[in-house]
Structures are given as structure tokens and as C-alpha cells.
Amino acid sequence: MRTEDKESRRLHITGVVQGVGFRPFVYRLAVERGLTGWVLNGERGVDVHVEGNSEQLDDFTEAIRARPPPAARIASFEITADAIDGFDSFEIRESERAHAPTVRVCADLPVCDACLRELFDPHDRRYKYPYMNCTDCGPRYSIVRALPYDRAQTTMRDWPMCDACRREYEDPLDRRFHAQPVACSQCGPSYVLEREGDRIRGGEAIADAAQLLCRGAIVAIKGLGGYHLACDAHNATAVRALRERKYRKERPFALMVRDTVRAKEIVHVDARAEEWLHSPARPIVLLRQRVALAGVAPESDEFGVMTAYAPVHHLLFDAGAPPVLVMTSANRSSEPIAYRDDDARNSLASIADAMLVGEREIARRVDDSVVSSIGVIRHSRGHAPQAVATLPVSSPILATGADLKNAIALVVNGQAFLSQHIGDLEHLDAFGSFKKTIDDFCELYDVDVAETLIAHDAHPQYRSSAYAMELGEHGCSVQHHRAHIASVLAEREAFEPTVLGFAFDGTGYGEDGTIWGGEIFAGNLSDGFERIAHLRPALLPGGDAAAQFPVQAAAGFLFCHPELSQMSGLFTKTPFAFPVRYRDALELLKKNVRVFTTTSMGRLFDTVAALLGFTRGITFEGQAAMWVEHLARCSARVAPYPFPFQGGELDYCPLLSQIVADRTAGRDVREIARAFHGAIVRGVLAAVEAFDFEHVVISGGVFQNALLVEELAVALGDRLWTNRLIPSNDGGICIGQATIAAFTPNR
Ligand code: ZN
Ligand code: ZN
Ligand code: FE
């Protein structure tokens, strides 16, 4: 090519573009087209200098845009003319990294199609090798011990590469160029089946595990971010045994199938669900059942389904494992997921018949992500530690979240990174993960916590708040429900609009010291949010502990009802048959001992659940509300109960009297549940009408109820703003805390 025909361009690409194979991808495109120049990871994305004729350059930039690596997400793409330097080749340059790059480690990735082909190619040297990966796939966040992200700093450091692997690792044209966890059966880790004192290593281990599953055994299987407990979902005896051994009475089990084709056999999969099932996070997707599987999801019309994402899963199915596997996080009851081999051996000894132990260590636990038809419910594997929002703030902010469903957030250069699901901080182990995740994030994003603004919940007894205050003096206390509203605004980058916000959840510390949970706010991020209305206050005997027992909440709500409180004896008889706990709660109310004031919408759902027959204790958070939603879904639309909005209060008394009357008269409980859902929608719409704001924000755990959200969306259209990628439950609250802190003056 004559020099005078040459042009030179500079590309600057931002987004999730580091640690996802972007540089070798650019390199290959350049080399294929005979272009010269360089590519490097810059401070804020990928920088490219490229020289060639204009046609080739157009083709090159178009190819980058059109087919970026699967895990990459391009946020911006700038092209400028540059001076010609006369390079005679194209090279990958060392990173120019002074401080605080915006993306350092990407989330864990499912095995890619190219690797899958090799996995099942008998002529490939990695045939059936369970730790197969490449630049486009495999573990990332779950194997990083320290930065920078290269092999010596990952859990692969103990497995020196063989010559063949090293050649691939060092060849810029190879699809395993700088794939840090690259390995093969000659040099890398494998799987070991441990059973009754025996250890089998290699391909046989996986084949034997598959056979055990077919015979009804419970097998602990190490995945990317922790252990699962697996069994044949069609084997009711195995499923029941798993429930008994795990002390998990009713909470639904997640399922794993090989691919979306299999998923469609057991659940209804629409286009959006299919996208989720196949997305890089490979989350558990909640979908409507097509078949019955005894004991998998009692009293629910949905299954949580994910598709195989690690090579070991594909190998299990290939080896004849049952086509639908229960794949539930390996732990006892509600403890965090086990991820260390020794811990797993100890804690799962009484649960699993065998353990399929992977020899690659997991650096940190990363549970499966969960999504529903309305959005992300649990942001974890495949999502963490990615940014979920961009905030207009330059100094760093750490937000420590809430104590239930904890997750933390770190804002760096305006990017709000959301951690994996950490869990309930009352568990010592989860609290340990919480502290470690804060340390991890500060290290990953090069932030000095001593100089960071730290946002936390206003609850004085939350561990997450106490720890935030220990960490530093730059604290910002954020009221729980305002943080829920702000999480939606952050996600939409709606930093200016004044909105009407509904924060409905089970519990949160209110600024008057009472238990809030049915709150209506007006305001914006700069001026703050004023609580302008709320659920009519009720009493709650036993306080937050009442969340375990719907009848306890019912005692409090019915006690506050002018007429129903006179009929308290009615509720111990049919059809209500409230157990003795209800009478004990009434005693507390009458003596005014351990009685708290609440505006919790979650407890109103519990009250209705109790009236409709859910009179036992719950075995997992949100169970009673989910049960009422399930009932309502089984009914056609019916006329809603009244839920009048007056004097700044949503009054639940009329709907409770009607429910009591209808139930006594023998009306179908599914219809009652449906009419109750209609009432909630009606109440929200009445408040919307009373205040007349353009934008309506809803957030909080109650709005994981898809029936409510769908009906509100129909009524309000584009005016309704909800969470999509940030959980509306307390798992997303750290983002709201950080957002409010970012707008708090004089911070
Ligand atoms: Zn791959
Ligand atoms: Zn090797
Ligand atoms: Fe909440």
C-alpha cells in the first residue's frame, strides 16, 4: 500500500470492555484486514490506534461494533482522525493504567458455543474436560484473589500451564490468548467424586455422579460460585429426602436443564424469558409451570429454571443425568451457599449422598442470580460485580445496604457497582462475606475506604449500619424506603424529575421510630423526598418477629379495626381457625406489651393470608404474600375491594371487613385474593389521582408481585417507573442509598 493512501484513526470504546477478550478481538480483526497500529486497555475503556486505507478502516470499525465479544457491552464508541505513525504491524500493548480504571474484573461467564463444540469433539485435546474455557467464557469474578487480573492472582495459580496451553495463552491469534484460567486435562484441575470414603478422579467421576442422580441420590456439585445440591426433579422421593435433610420445608427449589429446548418442556417460555435463559448470567428464571413436579415448588404455579452454564453441567447431562435436575444452593436452611470444599464436606455430610468436588478453588461465593417476568430479583452470578447505574458524582461512595438480602454497592467515577447477593447478615458467615465483599470492592476499584462517603440504612440496630459507622466517619444515614425509591431513579438516570413514589415492603426503620412499609413520597433527589401519605397505621404485637407468623400480624391489624376488634373470638373458629399464637398476640395487644406501630404493606398481605387460611408460620421470607399472589392468579378478574385514600392514609379497614364477611359466607379464597390485589391497585391509583404527578415510582419487596405490577403498568403506562435490573427488594437498596448520598449536600 502506498503511504499516501493511508489514513489513521483513533478509537475510544467504553463500557464493559476490559477482561472480556476485547483486545485480542480487536487484534484479530486488524490482523485479518492487514491493518497496523495497536490496542490497549486505557483508564476508561479500550483505546485503539489503527492505520490502513479508508475502506478497510470502515470495515474494521463496523466489525467491532457489530460483533463485540459476547460478554462485552459497549457504552460509547468514539472515532477520531489521528496522525500516521507508520507502524508495520498490529500489536496488543501493555495497559496504560495510572489509577482507578472503571472496569477491572468482569462477571463470571457461561461456557461459550466454541468451547462446547470442543467439549464434545472426540478429536479435540480438551474432549470432555470440565474446566474448559476461553477468552469469551469461563470464571472471572469467582476466581480472582487480587489484582491485576492475571493467572498468578487467581485460584488457577496452583496449576502451571503445560506447553500446549501456554502456546495458546501466548498466541494473540488464538481464542485462548490471555484467557487467565486456561487449562487442559494434562495440566489443569479436574473433578473428583467422593462417596463413602472412595475418591474417583476425572471423566469417570462425572459419569458416576450422573448415574447416582439417576438412581435417586442427592449429589453436591461444585459449580462456578459455590456448591449446589442436585437430585432428579422427577423423583418425588429424592426431592422429599432433600427437603427433609436440608430442613427446607416449602421454599421452592431451582431447576437446571440442559438448554432452552428442555426448559420449554417444563415451563412456558416467552421471547423475553428465552433471552434471560440464554443471557450471559444464565440466571434462575421464574416461569409458569407446564408440568407437575411433586415437592419442587409447593403451592406455586412457577418453577425457577436455569440452563447449564458450566462445562461440568453439560457433561453431567451428556453422561445421562436426569434431564431435569433440582439444583439448589448447597447449605443448611437459609445459610449462605457453601463454596469451600472443607466447609461443604462438613455442612453437607448429612445431606448429600456423594460430592462432586471440583479441584479449582472458588475465591468467593457467588450464588445464582434470579429474575422474574418483571425484573431482576437477585443480582449475583453473571451480574456481579458489574455497574448497574451511572450517577453524576465523581468522589467514591460505599453503600452497605440493609440486613436482609444484603448486597453492597461502590460508586467509582460515577459508576455504581453492585455486589453479588450476600444474604441475611444475622448469619455469622454472611456477615463475614459482607465485610470481605466491602474489602474486595475497595481493592478491585482502588478506593480508600477512609476517604469514602459511606451510606447506610437509618436502622440503629442493623449490623450493616453499625459496621458502616465503624468503617469511617464520613457517614450518611438513609431512610430505608426513600432508598427504595431512589434505586428506581438511579436505574433510569432520572436525577431531576419530581416523582410520586410508593415504597411498599415488609419492614424498614421509619424516621419516627415506627416500622414503615407502606409509604408514599413526593420529591426529587436534589430536594429530598417528603413522606406525604402512608398506609393507615396498625399495631404489630412482637414487632419484626411478627413477620414469621401471619396470624400475629392479623391480630394487630384486626385489633385496629373499629368493628372487627369486637369480634376477636370469631377468628379462632372456622373458617379462620387461628391457632393459639393469635390469642397470645391479642394478650400482648390488650396489655400493650411489646406492641409496635406499623404501616407495613407486607404485614397487610400477611393479615390477608391469615384470613384466607395461611395460619401456620412462614418458612421463608415473603412466603405468605407469594401465597396470596398465587391464589389471586388462579382467579379471573373480579371487582376489587375498596381501599380508600383519604387524609393522607390508605385505609385497609373496609377491605378487611369485606374479606371477613366474604370468607364467612364461603366465597372462594382465590376470588377474595384477586379482589384484594385489585384493592391494592385501586388504592395506588387513588393516591396517584389525588397528587397528580407525571411520574410514578414503585419499589420495595411487595412490588415483586408481578400481578400488582402488571395491573399498575396497564393503568399507568409510561408514567410508571419500576426496577428492572436493580432488585426492588432489599438487595437493591444499597444503590438507592448511594444515590441519595450522592445528592446529599455538604457531604
Ligand atoms: Zn469459550
Ligand atoms: Zn494444559
Ligand atoms: Fe425494604
Side-chain angles (χ1 to χ4, degrees):
M1 189 190 309
R2 298 203 322 269
T3 328
E4 50 269 36
D5 294 337
K6 264 196 173 184
E7 281 179 27
S8 175
R9 287 179 200 168
R10 177 67 75 101
L11 315 182
H12 177 64
I13 306 156
T14 67
V16 181
V17 289
Q18 298 184 359
V20 292
F22 215 94
R23 289 177 307 155
F25 158 74
V26 169
Y27 175 90
R28 283 194 292 275
L29 291 179
V31 170
E32 276 163 25
R33 289 162 180 76
L35 301 171
T36 62
W38 48 258
V39 54
L40 60 78
N41 277 339
E43 289 247 338
R44 302 231 166 130
V46 166
D47 291 307
V48 185
H49 171 95
V50 62
E51 302 183 356
N53 75 37
S54 80
E55 213 169 287
Q56 287 170 326
L57 291 175
D58 288 346
D59 182 55
F60 170 74
T61 49
E62 193 40 48
I64 296 176
R65 255 194 241 264
R67 301 186 306 272
R73 277 187 300 169
I74 295 177
S76 72
F77 198 115
E78 272 171 42
I79 307 175
T80 46
D82 207 357
I84 290 179
D85 275 331
F87 288 99
D88 47 25
S89 65
F90 196 90
E91 61 188 51
I92 295 178
R93 287 194 169 173
E94 282 310 305
S95 300
E96 249 177 16
R97 181 177 273 169
H99 53 79
T102 47
V103 177
R104 302 185 82 166
V105 176
C106 102
D108 299 305
L109 295 165
V111 60
C112 71
D113 291 344
C115 284
L116 261 187
R117 275 193 296 277
E118 290 182 3
L119 189 64
F120 293 113
D121 175 0
H123 304 295
D124 193 273
R125 70 184 195 88
R126 288 192 182 81
Y127 178 55
K128 293 197 175 175
Y129 178 59
Y131 281 115
M132 160 100 74
N133 61 79
C134 72
T135 322
D136 287 342
C137 78
R140 298 287 187 276
Y141 184 52
S142 64
I143 60 164
V144 178
R145 288 194 183 283
L147 286 167
Y149 174 59
D150 61 35
R151 191 172 180 103
Q153 310 264 37
T154 70
T155 59
M156 283 300 291
R157 72 182 161 190
D158 299 333
W159 306 92
M161 279 179 249
C162 66
D163 290 344
C165 285
R166 178 158 296 283
R167 271 196 300 278
E168 294 169 323
Y169 180 83
E170 288 174 351
D171 176 2
L173 284 177
D174 193 277
R175 62 185 199 85
R176 293 196 169 87
F177 175 67
H178 281 192
Q180 302 305 340
V182 71
C184 71
S185 56
Q186 296 305 304
C187 65
S190 187
Y191 269 82
V192 178
L193 185 71
E194 299 182 358
R195 182 175 171 240
E196 292 165 359
D198 280 356
R199 287 171 53 87
I200 307 167
R201 187 174 186 272
E204 232 179 291
I206 294 174
D208 285 4
Q211 291 319 305
L212 283 172
L213 288 165
C214 288
R215 295 204 300 268
I218 295 167
V219 182
I221 299 168
K222 193 177 190 175
L224 275 181
Y227 276 87
H228 285 111
L229 285 163
C231 73
D232 179 358
H234 282 100
N235 184 331
T237 316
V239 173
R240 195 175 332 114
L242 180 55
R243 286 209 177 274
E244 278 162 15
R245 296 186 206 170
K246 198 170 137 74
Y247 303 114
R248 178 149 158 164
K249 281 200 227 146
E250 297 167 304
R251 189 175 186 171
F253 284 140
L255 300 173
M256 181 181 274
V257 292
R258 186 170 200 157
D259 50 30
T260 32
V261 177
R262 281 287 185 185
K264 285 173 182 173
E265 293 169 8
I266 55 166
V267 284
H268 294 274
V269 180
D270 62 13
R272 187 153 48 159
E274 182 155 1
E275 225 169 84
W276 269 123
L277 281 171
H278 205 68
S279 70
R282 296 288 153 91
I284 295 168
V285 187
L286 302 183
L287 295 165
R288 213 150 45 79
Q289 301 169 359
R290 288 183 69 131
V291 296
L293 293 168
V296 169
E299 295 184 327
S300 169
D301 54 352
E302 292 181 328
F303 287 137
V305 180
M306 61 185 148
T307 56
Y309 54 85
V312 65
H313 303 142
H314 287 275
L315 290 170
L316 278 166
F317 287 120
D318 183 67
V324 186
L325 288 174
V326 165
M327 273 287 205
T328 182
S329 299
N331 51 23
R332 266 179 308 197
S333 185
S334 60
E335 289 168 15
I337 186 170
Y339 72 107
R340 290 195 184 100
D341 301 333
D342 284 338
D343 290 348
R345 283 186 190 102
N346 286 331
S347 64
L348 306 178
S350 57
I351 305 177
D353 299 308
M355 287 189 51
L356 191 53
V357 179
E359 291 175 325
R360 187 176 69 205
E361 270 179 75
I362 296 172
R364 60 182 61 71
R365 62 164 59 92
V366 192
D367 224 321
D368 296 314
S369 292
V370 182
V371 306
S372 77
S373 60
I374 48 177
V376 172
I377 288 180
R378 189 203 279 162
H379 170 103
S380 211
R381 176 185 49 73
H383 290 291
Q386 287 175 6
V388 292
T390 307
L391 304 177
V393 61
S394 52
S395 48
I397 301 171
L398 170 70
T400 58
D403 272 19
L404 288 175
K405 296 193 166 62
N406 180 271
I408 62 125
L410 186 67
V411 184
V412 185
N413 297 328
Q415 299 250 75
F417 298 96
L418 177 55
S419 80
Q420 72 276 29
H421 163 80
I422 293 168
D424 297 351
L425 298 189
E426 66 173 285
H427 290 291
L428 206 58
D429 208 10
F431 190 62
S433 284
F434 163 79
K435 291 192 283 191
K436 181 172 184 292
T437 306
I438 291 175
D439 293 346
D440 277 356
F441 265 47
C442 289
E443 198 193 327
L444 278 173
Y445 300 106
D446 215 2
V447 162
D448 179 358
V449 82
E451 284 164 19
T452 300
L453 176 67
I454 303 173
H456 58 82
D457 197 276
H459 201 308
Q461 263 111 45
Y462 267 180
R463 286 174 168 221
S464 53
S465 313
Y467 189 71
M469 287 183 254
E470 266 172 49
L471 272 181
E473 51 217 66
H474 309 284
C476 176
S477 166
V478 180
Q479 199 277 322
H480 190 97
H481 301 94
R482 291 182 171 91
H484 274 308
I485 300 300
S487 73
V488 176
L489 299 178
E491 184 168 345
R492 302 190 66 104
E493 298 188 17
F495 303 124
E496 268 121 48
T498 295
V499 300
L500 183 66
F502 294 79
F504 289 178
D505 66 0
T507 182
Y509 187 77
E511 65 197 355
D512 57 4
T514 69
I515 301 169
W516 286 11
E519 314 309 316
I520 307 177
F521 299 95
N524 57 52
L525 284 165
S526 300
D527 303 330
F529 298 94
E530 192 195 344
R531 185 198 195 210
I532 53 168
H534 48 79
L535 187 68
R536 173 175 170 164
L539 294 174
L540 195 58
D544 282 342
Q548 303 303 312
F549 300 97
V551 291
Q552 209 163 319
F557 275 75
L558 296 167
F559 191 79
C560 295
H561 190 294
E563 293 116 56
L564 295 178
S565 63
Q566 311 300 314
M567 302 189 258
S568 56
L570 180 80
F571 300 108
T572 54
K573 304 196 181 87
T574 40
F576 303 104
F578 286 179
V580 66
R581 182 169 286 277
Y582 164 74
R583 257 177 292 183
D584 295 347
L586 272 185
E587 285 306 306
L588 292 181
L589 287 159
K590 284 176 188 154
K591 293 188 196 139
N592 196 18
V593 179
R594 286 194 292 126
V595 171
F596 300 81
T597 299
T598 189
T599 48
S600 165
M601 197 60 85
R603 298 297 82 80
L604 177 61
F605 269 81
D606 287 353
T607 299
V608 172
L611 290 171
L612 297 187
F614 199 110
T615 54
R616 61 193 197 274
I618 60 165
T619 60
F620 60 93
E621 207 238 341
Q623 184 184 8
M626 285 166 63
W627 182 80
V628 177
E629 181 189 355
H630 168 61
L631 284 182
R633 282 190 176 281
C634 300
S635 160
R637 194 186 295 262
V638 293
Y641 291 129
F643 196 18
F645 179 72
Q646 53 210 8
E649 288 183 359
L650 276 167
D651 187 2
Y652 53 80
C653 286
L655 73 86
L656 287 185
S657 10
Q658 287 214 19
I659 290 176
V660 170
D662 279 356
R663 181 92 166 103
T664 312
R667 188 177 184 194
D668 188 308
V669 291
R670 292 167 295 193
E671 281 185 19
I672 300 178
R674 185 72 194 230
F676 168 64
H677 275 73
I680 303 289
V681 171
R682 197 168 166 179
V684 168
L685 295 178
V688 167
E689 202 158 301
F691 292 110
D692 193 30
F693 283 84
E694 171 63 22
H695 304 292
V696 177
V697 171
I698 56 172
S699 189
V702 166
F703 290 115
Q704 270 171 215
N705 183 318
L707 189 58
L708 283 185
V709 176
E710 284 157 13
E711 295 205 349
L712 285 169
V714 169
L716 293 168
D718 291 344
R719 293 174 68 193
L720 186 72
W721 289 356
T722 60
N723 292 107
R724 293 216 158 271
L725 295 176
I726 298 171
S728 63
N729 58 41
D730 287 3
I733 210 159
C734 53
I735 297 291
Q737 291 169 345
T739 308
I740 287 185
F743 281 86
T744 301
N746 310 320
R747 56 174 193 274

